[in-house]
Amino acid sequence: MQDRLLELFHKYVNDNCSTEELSELYELFSLTGNEIIVKELIAQTIEDIHQHPEQINTFLSQEDAEKILNDIFPQTSDTAIVPHVPVKISRMRWWKWAAAATVAVLISLSGYYVLHQSGNKATREIAGRKSSTSNSSNKATLILSNGQTILLDSVPNGLLATQGQGRVVKNQNGAVIYSAAGKDGDQIVYNTITTPRGGQYFLQLSDGSKVWLNAASSIRFPVVFPAGERKVYITGEAYFEVEHLSGHHDQPAAFIVEATSNATDNRGCRIEVLGTKFNINSYSNEPVVSTTLLEGKVKVHVNNSLQSQVLQPNQQVNISRKGDMYLTTSADVNAVIAWKNGYTQFAAVPLSAVMRQVERWYDVNVQFEGNVADIKFTGKLKRTESLAEFLKILDLNNIKYEINNSTIIIK
């Protein structure tokens, strides 16, 4: 029996467990007499997590971790049974051990315990809606200059259109690539790409600059940039890798991004770029418009204001609803661009901020009742996880909710 437990556990660690094997593994976890070997397996996993913390893939409040672990291994005395673990791990505080163990066993095991043991009927019901509420990245609509729309996630690869002096091609990876087919014309021809909730898209502009659009975002841009000017317009969130080009007299050709939030307060900014990598978040339901620089140098101007700020790498500037600028000199850039790499990542962020991203990723609406919106979360979640998997995390943290059609009501 222990050999089977070891076999299944190692299959799980290597992401090779089938649904049936996962169920069998959890049954073995719960059998009397397996507690010691299970805890030793967990301890080894903890050591791996300790050495490679970037592999942790969950949201979990620290105060709930020990409670959950004790729920898995109920104690018959007032003293918790601390497993035999390597010296490095035994020196960890108990709550760290519990949190790591919960990460290793509960969350990564697809929330099996919660799905089968929780009395939350809404979680079980929404699990059956995985296909309609799971993330499926490459979704976008291309709007040509004549108003024609093309659904980019369903149109075949190849030449999509010839617009003015430019060509629009969808390559074998599903990306849209723009290129100049001739000399610059007198008229600037614009295209627009929009992403729905739950979608994102990658495109390459005619100058070679690369753009990643997050969910519920848009970019308007010239099919071919005119000589001496590169300007695009975005809403929502986008990550840019701008191609360095020389203009007149071999001076660097500026790249300008106009970002608006589409909010009634007319928040927004203009970013002047040379050759650089940066992220802009201008969603209308976010409290600030945020620009974060990874490489190079940018200058951010507040709309309808004389305020501006030059950013250096790893810096971030936020523009409030009132138009005030706030500089962060050491931003968590990995968390900022996690969405581009297929994750959502937070560090001590209120639940309200987490759920705003959930709304955009899973195409749902979220309402709050009470003060739960201020609960802080730290963690990382794959974008490919279904909404049902995310809701299990709320269960683990004792957060009550109801599902009403496509609205999640947090209580």
Side-chain angles (χ1 to χ4, degrees):
M1 184 181 298
Q2 289 190 351
D3 289 343
R4 180 59 173 168
L5 175 58
L6 287 169
E7 177 189 355
L8 291 176
F9 186 85
H10 288 298
K11 287 189 71 174
Y12 155 68
V13 169
N14 290 289
D15 199 23
N16 290 324
C17 252
S18 68
T19 302
E20 293 76 16
E21 288 172 331
L22 196 61
S23 179
E24 181 184 354
L25 176 60
Y26 226 92
E27 288 295 329
L28 291 173
F29 276 4
S30 65
L31 290 180
T32 303
N34 281 347
E35 292 93 340
I36 293 176
I37 188 171
V38 168
K39 289 184 178 182
E40 288 180 346
L41 287 170
I42 292 172
Q44 184 58 55
T45 306
I46 293 168
E47 184 172 23
D48 293 339
I49 291 174
H50 182 78
Q51 294 174 353
H52 305 284
E54 72 279 358
Q55 294 179 2
I56 295 177
N57 177 32
T58 184
F59 292 104
L60 189 66
S61 57
Q62 293 168 346
E63 58 268 27
D64 288 323
E66 181 175 351
K67 176 183 180 300
I68 296 167
L69 191 65
N70 286 332
D71 285 343
I72 304 173
F73 303 113
Q75 305 302 323
T76 56
S77 66
D78 294 334
T79 304
I81 299 174
V82 180
H84 172 70
V85 292
V87 173
K88 180 189 296 185
I89 303 305
S90 63
R91 291 175 179 170
M92 296 172 67
R93 289 178 56 191
W94 169 252
W95 66 262
K96 289 185 178 180
W97 189 93
T102 305
V103 167
V105 180
L106 273 181
I107 306 299
S108 297
L109 282 173
S110 301
Y112 182 89
Y113 175 83
V114 175
L115 182 60
H116 288 270
Q117 302 297 331
S118 171
N120 192 324
K121 182 180 178 182
T123 300
R124 296 193 297 271
E125 289 177 347
I126 205 165
R129 295 169 48 199
K130 181 174 180 178
S131 62
S132 61
T133 56
S134 59
N135 297 302
S136 55
S137 57
N138 289 336
K139 286 183 178 180
T141 300
L142 168 63
I143 305 173
L144 302 178
S145 59
N146 61 3
Q148 179 187 349
T149 61
I150 299 174
L151 297 179
L152 294 174
D153 47 308
S154 58
V155 69
N157 299 339
L159 180 66
L160 301 183
T162 299
Q163 294 274 281
Q165 300 298 314
R167 288 164 47 90
V168 189
V169 174
K170 180 182 176 182
N171 69 13
Q172 60 184 4
N173 296 321
V176 167
I177 309 297
Y178 282 77
S179 60
K183 295 182 178 180
D184 297 340
D186 295 331
Q187 184 179 5
I188 302 177
V189 177
Y190 284 91
N191 280 187
T192 300
I193 292 180
T194 65
T195 55
R197 284 179 165 190
Q200 63 182 51
Y201 213 80
F202 169 80
L203 66 147
Q204 181 173 300
L205 302 174
S206 62
D207 67 337
S209 295
K210 300 176 177 64
V211 185
W212 287 258
L213 272 186
N214 203 351
S217 303
S218 71
I219 181 169
R220 181 173 179 264
F221 55 94
V223 172
V224 176
F225 288 110
E229 182 181 45
R230 295 186 291 169
K231 181 185 287 190
V232 301
Y233 306 82
I234 74 153
T235 63
E237 185 167 23
Y239 173 81
F240 288 83
E241 292 186 357
V242 176
E243 190 75 11
H244 182 87
L245 296 179
S246 296
H248 297 297
H249 307 295
D250 292 328
Q251 293 298 311
F255 188 101
I256 297 174
V257 180
E258 297 275 0
T260 61
S261 66
N262 281 339
T264 55
D265 50 30
N266 197 32
R267 286 176 298 148
C269 60
R270 184 179 79 258
I271 298 108
E272 295 181 27
V273 186
L274 296 178
T276 192
K277 299 178 181 180
F278 63 100
N279 191 86
I280 307 173
N281 183 327
S282 63
Y283 287 114
S284 59
N285 64 344
E286 294 291 345
V288 296
V289 173
S290 180
T291 303
T292 309
L293 182 65
L294 282 77
E295 293 182 12
K297 190 176 181 179
V298 299
K299 187 175 185 179
V300 182
H301 302 263
V302 180
N303 285 352
N304 304 315
S305 170
L306 296 178
Q307 296 182 84
S308 64
Q309 177 68 55
V310 175
L311 295 185
Q312 303 296 332
N314 299 321
Q315 291 185 343
Q316 179 184 82
V317 65
N318 295 314
I319 302 173
S320 72
R321 296 181 183 277
K322 295 181 179 180
D324 298 321
M325 298 186 81
Y326 301 94
L327 178 67
T328 299
T329 57
S330 184
D332 185 353
V333 295
N334 289 328
V336 170
I337 66 166
W339 67 267
K340 168 185 167 286
N341 300 319
Y343 291 90
T344 183
Q345 183 173 331
F346 297 100
V349 170
L351 178 60
S352 56
V354 175
M355 297 310 292
R356 286 196 295 271
Q357 195 159 132
V358 167
E359 285 184 314
R360 294 190 288 265
W361 277 22
Y362 296 104
D363 191 15
V364 295
N365 298 312
V366 177
Q367 296 177 6
F368 285 93
E369 296 180 359
N371 298 320
V372 290
D374 295 329
I375 296 174
K376 297 294 194 296
F377 275 80
T378 296
K380 184 175 177 181
L381 184 73
K382 288 183 180 179
R383 188 163 186 170
T384 52
E385 297 288 354
S386 70
L387 177 58
E389 296 300 326
F390 176 80
L391 291 176
K392 294 170 196 172
I393 296 168
L394 298 186
D395 281 326
L396 288 174
N397 285 276
N398 253 348
I399 295 172
K400 306 300 181 185
Y401 60 89
E402 291 181 359
I403 307 293
N404 185 0
N405 295 322
S406 60
T407 299
I408 303 171
I409 304 170
I410 309 290
K411 297 186 174 184

